[in-house]
Each structure stands twice: as C-alpha cells, then as structure tokens.
Amino acid sequence: MDKPFRKTGEPSISESPLHPRRQSRRIMVGPVPVGGGAPISVQSMTNTKTANVGATLQQIAELTAAGCDIVRVAVPSQEDADALPRIVAKSPIPVIADIHFQSRYVFQAIDAGCAAVRVNPGNIRKFDEVGPSICKAATDAGISLRIGVNAGSLDKELYAKYGGPTPEALVASAMKEARMFEDVGFHDFKISVKHHDPVTMVETYRLLAKQGDWPLHLGVTEAGPAWQGTIKSCLAFGALLAEGIGDTIRVSLSAPPVEEVKVGCKILEYLGLRARHFDIISCPSCGRAQVDVISLANEVTNGLSGITAPIRVAVMGCIVNGPGEAREADLGVASGNGKGQIFIKGKVVETVPEDRIVDTLLKHANAIAEQMKADGLVADQSSGPVVVPVVGE
C-alpha cells in the first residue's frame, strides 16, 4: 500500500521482559508488521454500519487517537462492500474487511485496497472451491489474510468428532484451513482461534503455537460487558503474552470500541511490551485513610485524561505507604490530617489544604507534561503506539 499512514507515539517494544517471544513468521497488514519479532499491535473493530462512511470514519479516527494500530470493519452486505474504497482511502490506519458467508465480498474488499481480509472458512460457502482463488487474489494484491476460527462457528464435522469446540477441535480446524492455504503456496496469513472461556482459549493457543510458525492474533471472543470482558482478556492475554505467545491482540468488549483499545494498550504497557504513558497509582480505601481516596483518585484521573506524557502520579491516603509511593512517582501526594504533601521527583515541593490537592496536582502534572514535550520526550500524537513509518518516507 502506498498511501501515507499516521505515525504515532514512541517506538513500541518487541521483546517481553518475562519470556522470549515465540518465533513466528512475519506478515504485513498495510505498513504494520505482524509476527517475526515485530511489536505487538492492538486492533479493534468498528460497530457502525460500514455503509455509513462518515460515521465509520469518525469512529476509526477515535480509535486511532486511542492508540489503535489496525481496524476491522464488518462487511455483511453489498452496501458495506461498496463503501470500502471510500473508507480505505481516508482511514489513517490499515483497514481489515471482516467477511462471512459471501466470498464475493472478499474479492471486492481486495479490489477496494483493504490491507487484509478476515475470513472464516467454516462459514464461507464452498470455501474448498473458492479458497485458491482468494489466495491468488490476495497474492496479486500483495495483502495478507486472517483465518478466524471461532467456537461459535466451528465446522460441523469437527464439532461432532471432538464433541464440541474443544481446544483440540479449534486447532484441528485452524490447521486444516492453514494447510489449505499453504497447499496453494499462500503463506501471508495469521490465525486466531477464539473462545469465550479464557482457560479454553489459553489451552487452544498453546496447542496451536506448537504446530507451526504462523503469526497469532489473540482474542477472547464474546468476552462480555466491559468489566467482565476486561478481566477475561487480562487473564488470557497475560498468560499467553507472558509465555511469548501472540503477535497482535483485540480485546472484545460489549462496550464502545475505544474502550477495547484502551484496555489493549494498557495490557501491553503493564506487561512491558509497550512504553508506558500516563499512569496513576492510588491506594485502596481502608480504615487508615484520612481522606476520601476513591474520590480523590477519580478526580485526578479525570482531570488528567488528556495527558499523553509518560507521567506516573501517586495519590495516597495515609502515612504508612503514602510518602514512599509519592516519593517514587514523578508526581505524588501523601494525604492526611486535612492536608497533602506534594512530591515532585522525590522531593516535597509544597503542602496544601485537602480542598486544594486536586487542583495542585493538576497544575504540576500539566507543567511536567509541557516540560517533557519541550524536552522532546513526548512525540506528536503520542496517545497511541507506533505505526510503522510511512511507506517511502
């Protein structure tokens, strides 16, 4: 693809401090590398009607600002397929077309310039017949594919053979489809084997990771509402990424897509796989607290929601751990006895009454962020991860 893509943030991290990355082959999704030691990318999916080009592009812009590397759009109708060229032309990040049932939309998505196409061979009509043609079209266009195996759409024969969507059944389905592609000489694809249960999902990816060097897209499908889905995704992704398994991720939530990206980026940050951005440390509420820590932490978090500099802010409510945590952060407060001691880089700079703690922290945080920006420590549009540099730049 020769269109310019937005570059974001500082360089991502490709190696985990917890475990060496699994060796996988590299594919490209537009200018974004997946696998082969490339930084783990964050994906999400729009929930607009794809045919509504304006609404879809607006949501893609919001996802991009939140740190999304790659976006997927649903193509269930002819109108959606017809909208793809306009969306691809204006999207600041690579677009993947999500195709089910109708193979003709796959070819239309490729012609539209999509960076990749997601296909689920288990529900594409006559895939045995059209698969080779799809591979040839993708090869000619220089794009990659994703084989998407889901527990909810498992091939009926495999479902019967294994007695349900077990890890063994999902892996067997993925390998059958991978061999189908590889038998016609097509290798530019990644695989996902999603399940709604985190334990089953982890077992499935562990099995699949041993069978070949395909890049793997991680996801817990139908994970649920925001709080439940976040927990499931953190558990499953944490287990696999800590073992070096996974090349790109999508957090699936029954929530606005931007929330998926926020969770995905934070998972990578806290696993040491992406440089940290703004982070807040706050103590749990307990009987020692001499201020309303919950309200204080929420006010500070909301007040600093626009900060993109990698600042660590500590909001502490008592004298036990408060001074130590506040001292270790870039900016912190140790609260008690109706006042707060404000720390910057380990030193107390002022003591303020309790009703001025929030305003004082916000003032110092913004000043630190501006200084970081002036010192070149905050890249333009650094709200998200890196997208590989513009082609030809």
Side-chain angles (χ1 to χ4, degrees):
M1 300 180 72
D2 58 3
K3 65 171 286 186
F5 283 91
R6 186 205 67 164
K7 289 189 293 184
T8 63
E10 71 281 352
S12 297
I13 299 166
S14 61
E15 283 298 324
S16 168
L18 298 174
H19 195 283
R21 290 277 296 280
R22 164 182 169 267
Q23 294 298 310
S24 60
R25 65 179 178 236
R26 175 165 301 185
I27 65 170
M28 299 298 294
V29 180
V32 178
V34 174
I40 295 170
S41 54
V42 175
Q43 300 187 26
S44 186
M45 187 172 183
T46 57
N47 62 9
T48 58
K49 297 293 183 184
T50 303
N52 187 338
V53 174
T56 300
L57 285 171
Q58 175 60 38
Q59 192 167 87
I60 290 174
E62 293 168 0
L63 291 169
T64 304
C68 190
D69 291 305
I70 300 166
V71 66
R72 186 154 46 104
V73 298
V75 188
S77 73
Q78 186 61 55
E79 284 186 337
D80 298 317
D82 292 341
L84 289 174
R86 288 172 288 165
I87 292 170
V88 169
K90 294 186 177 181
S91 174
I93 55 178
V95 175
I96 297 178
D98 186 85
I99 312 290
H100 297 270
F101 307 116
Q102 295 290 349
S103 61
R104 71 176 186 273
Y105 297 156
V106 176
F107 299 104
Q108 197 166 344
I110 293 171
D111 290 341
C114 288
V117 179
R118 186 266 190 163
V119 293
N120 186 338
N123 62 26
I124 292 284
R125 297 187 183 102
K126 299 182 179 179
F127 189 80
D128 290 353
E129 298 177 16
V130 301
S133 297
I134 290 173
C135 292
K136 184 179 185 305
T139 298
D140 292 344
I143 72 165
S144 58
L145 300 174
R146 170 157 77 92
I147 297 172
V149 179
N150 273 20
S153 54
L154 185 65
D155 179 271
K156 292 180 180 178
E157 291 183 5
L158 290 172
Y159 190 99
K161 177 180 179 180
Y162 290 94
T166 64
E168 292 78 11
L170 293 168
V171 169
S173 177
M175 291 186 63
K176 174 186 175 183
E177 292 153 7
R179 299 309 182 204
M180 189 183 303
F181 282 7
E182 291 172 339
D183 285 347
V184 296
F186 188 80
H187 300 276
D188 290 334
F189 63 89
K190 60 182 179 288
I191 302 178
S192 65
V193 280
K194 296 185 177 182
H195 197 285
H196 67 270
D197 175 63
V199 173
T200 303
M201 179 269 204
V202 169
E203 291 176 342
T204 303
Y205 276 99
R206 283 174 174 167
L207 282 176
L208 183 60
K210 297 175 182 177
Q211 303 301 319
D213 65 348
W214 315 286
L216 300 180
H217 170 74
L218 303 187
V220 179
T221 191
E222 289 95 36
W227 68 271
Q228 177 176 300
T230 295
I231 293 170
K232 285 184 177 181
S233 296
C234 287
L235 289 170
F237 292 1
L240 290 169
L241 293 172
E243 296 173 14
I245 298 172
D247 300 291
T248 180
I249 65 172
R250 188 243 172 139
V251 176
S252 297
L253 302 176
S254 298
V258 164
E259 298 305 311
E260 297 184 350
V261 175
K262 291 178 180 177
V263 173
C265 288
K266 284 299 178 186
I267 289 173
L268 295 183
E269 286 181 27
Y270 291 138
L271 284 171
L273 285 161
R274 179 161 291 186
R276 289 197 184 190
H277 292 282
F278 167 68
D279 190 22
I280 189 163
I281 299 166
S282 58
C283 59
S285 181
C286 75
R288 296 193 304 267
Q290 297 179 347
V291 295
D292 184 349
V293 177
I294 297 173
S295 295
L296 190 61
N298 285 334
E299 287 184 61
V300 173
T301 300
N302 291 335
L304 298 179
S305 61
I307 293 288
T308 59
I311 302 173
R312 181 170 292 176
V313 179
V315 179
M316 306 302 293
C318 81
I319 61 172
V320 176
N321 296 318
E325 291 285 2
R327 191 176 293 113
E328 292 299 314
D330 297 301
L331 171 67
V333 61
S335 308
N337 296 322
K339 58 188 179 183
Q341 280 190 316
I342 308 297
F343 291 76
I344 295 180
K345 301 292 185 181
K347 296 181 179 180
V348 177
V349 295
E350 60 180 310
T351 301
V352 298
E354 184 177 325
D355 60 2
R356 288 183 49 210
I357 289 175
V358 173
D359 289 341
T360 304
L361 285 176
L362 298 184
K363 176 189 72 175
H364 286 299
N366 281 292
I368 293 170
E370 286 300 315
Q371 187 60 53
M372 284 184 164
K373 188 173 182 180
D375 292 341
L377 301 177
V378 183
D380 291 338
Q381 295 179 300
S382 64
S383 55
V386 161
V387 171
V388 166
V390 177
V391 173
E393 191 176 83

